Amino acid sequence: MYDAIIIGGGPAGLNAAMILGRARRKVVVFDHGQPRNRWAVAMNGFLTSDGMSPQEFIGKGRAELEKYGVELQDKVISTATYSKGSFVVNDADGNVYRSRKLLLATGLKDILPQLEGLEELYGKSVHHCPYCDGWESKDMAIAVYGKGRKGIGQALAMKNWSEQVTLYTDGTRELRRQDMELLHRNGVAVCTTAIKKLVGEAGRLQRIVLENGQEHEQQALFFSTSTQQQCDLGEQLGCEFTSKGVIKTGRLQNSSIPGLYVAGDADRDVQLVIVAAAEGAKAGVAINMELQKEDRK
Ligand SMILES: Cc1cc2nc3c(=O)[nH]c(=O)nc-3n(C[C@H](O)[C@H](O)[C@H](O)COP(=O)(O)OP(=O)(O)OC[C@H]3O[C@@H](n4cnc5c(N)ncnc54)[C@H](O)[C@@H]3O)c2cc1C
């Protein structure tokens, strides 16, 4: 029986493992190596590690856990249940593991716009988060992608980073007059024509080709679409979700299920590596305190 099983070895799961390992807890981390930012060339905005590659960050984190005896298993966990005060999880090969506490640090995945040419540029000059990649795109010709009214907020926000911002609604012509006026007043150009494809070289966006044959030179694109949980373990365990599709947690990352904690992008809304790591640390402390209380004679 483990003191704690951690599912997800991104920044949230690894930081929780560090706190619990240092507290001499018997911990295992299961991870199948698909952190949300694996497309990105750099991880920005993390003090002391600004600009480091996501792979290097995870590699360093895993190496730092070695001396604390944390077990790392490169496996997918397919099922998780809670019964009579303990958790039972199964990997995809049918192996069974038990623990007193469980942490879900399984993250989110992004629903990418269905645009030809996007995947080769994603994480290099096509992004979704201005706090992660806005600085690197400053003063560039920036396209913002969002169907219907979805991209309006993002387009206005991007004015922080560049004067040249164009909103592409990709064939949606239903922007309201007030929206058009707001965008115009704030110096955002609008293109409602459907997009045919994105063209770039070596990861750098060069132009957007429209269905009507026109071509617009652009250097970066930020999109505004939606996200999904990376796996359905939260649902399997009966967690409560918010209307934004993330798991509801309390002040110390506790979920509505006793002994089950959730940290990182899978819960809450500021989705940055440093926040995920901090939530992991909070969950680690809370799990250890709960175990201490239960074991006190
Ligand atoms: C393109 C891109 C660029 C980004 N750039 C930045 C940036 O510059 N700076 C920044 O602060 N943030 C950035 N982010 C956001 C950042 O990636 C997330 O905030 C962060 O990764 C969240 O950490 P996490 O530990 O919650 O989840 P993740 O990092 O997504 O890790 C979750 C882990 O859980 C594993 N997992 C999921 N389900 C299972 C399962 N059932 N069994 C086993 N393992 C499982 C996954 O394989 C994954 O390794 C970026 C995001 C994207 C998409």
Side-chain angles (χ1 to χ4, degrees):
M1 170 86 86
Y2 289 97
D3 289 323
I5 289 177
I6 298 175
I7 308 176
L14 293 181
N15 221 121
M18 175 171 268
I19 296 293
L20 287 164
R22 287 175 54 80
R24 310 192 70 185
R25 293 295 175 187
K26 186 168 158 43
V27 182
V28 58
V29 180
F30 292 101
D31 185 66
H32 67 358
Q34 309 216 321
R36 185 175 171 192
N37 59 349
R38 63 190 178 280
W39 319 95
V41 283
M43 177 196 76
N44 300 307
F46 193 121
L47 203 64
T48 73
S49 304
D50 186 38
M52 185 184 274
S53 86
Q55 290 74 17
E56 188 186 351
F57 181 77
I58 294 293
K60 267 186 108 170
R62 289 172 69 105
E64 281 174 359
L65 292 180
E66 266 172 36
K67 65 173 179 273
Y68 302 120
V70 170
E71 204 183 308
L72 294 170
Q73 294 218 28
D74 298 334
K75 287 186 169 167
V76 184
I77 295 300
S78 43
T79 60
T81 50
Y82 170 69
S83 160
K84 294 185 193 135
S86 67
F87 293 89
V88 181
V89 309
N90 295 276
D91 65 24
D93 303 321
N95 298 308
V96 182
Y97 310 84
R98 290 188 167 77
S99 65
R100 295 172 65 190
K101 307 291 165 201
L102 182 66
L103 173 64
L104 291 184
T106 41
L108 294 177
K109 58 183 171 197
D110 297 272
I111 311 299
L112 301 184
Q114 296 296 303
L115 291 177
E116 187 186 330
L118 181 137
E119 280 207 15
E120 299 89 83
L121 307 170
Y122 186 40
K124 301 177 190 86
S125 57
V126 170
H127 315 281
H128 74 281
C129 166
Y131 296 98
C132 305
D133 299 291
W135 173 264
E136 286 65 32
S137 313
K138 65 182 183 306
D139 298 328
M140 289 184 178
I142 294 180
V144 172
Y145 180 90
K147 286 203 172 223
R149 304 187 66 241
K150 269 196 161 176
I152 295 174
Q154 178 94 299
L156 293 168
M158 290 316 299
K159 291 290 292 186
N160 239 107
W161 287 274
S162 176
E163 280 303 311
Q164 307 169 67
V165 177
T166 306
L167 171 63
Y168 289 83
T169 63
D170 193 15
T172 334
R173 291 170 190 278
E174 73 224 28
L175 283 191
R176 298 189 306 212
R177 213 183 67 208
Q178 302 97 294
D179 293 332
M180 290 300 279
E181 282 169 5
L182 177 69
L183 290 160
H184 181 70
R185 264 200 317 279
N186 286 281
V188 174
V190 177
C191 173
T192 56
T193 311
I195 294 177
K196 185 157 185 249
K197 59 179 176 178
L198 307 183
V199 178
E201 207 180 289
R204 305 306 317 171
L205 174 66
Q206 292 171 323
R207 55 190 193 279
I208 295 179
V209 180
L210 303 174
E211 284 292 357
N212 65 10
Q214 279 183 13
E215 298 194 358
H216 291 180
E217 285 190 14
Q218 296 289 355
Q219 294 166 293
L221 182 143
F222 284 75
F223 62 83
S224 180
T225 49
S226 48
T227 53
Q228 277 176 352
Q229 292 283 325
Q230 271 219 45
C231 66
D232 68 354
L233 295 175
E235 274 174 53
Q236 287 184 28
L237 287 154
C239 291
E240 274 185 61
F241 285 79
T242 71
S243 58
K244 290 188 174 161
V246 292
I247 300 171
K248 278 191 191 170
T249 49
R251 199 173 61 82
L252 289 176
Q253 307 305 132
N254 48 300
S255 74
S256 50
I257 315 290
L260 174 64
Y261 292 77
V262 186
D265 284 6
D267 84 306
R268 308 276 177 93
D269 52 5
V270 177
Q271 292 162 0
L272 292 174
V273 174
I274 201 157
V275 176
E279 286 184 8
K282 275 167 71 181
V285 169
I287 288 172
N288 187 51
M289 281 168 50
E290 205 170 291
L291 290 168
Q292 281 174 339
K293 251 194 226 162
E294 288 173 10
D295 292 343
R296 209 156 280 156
K297 301 192 172 86

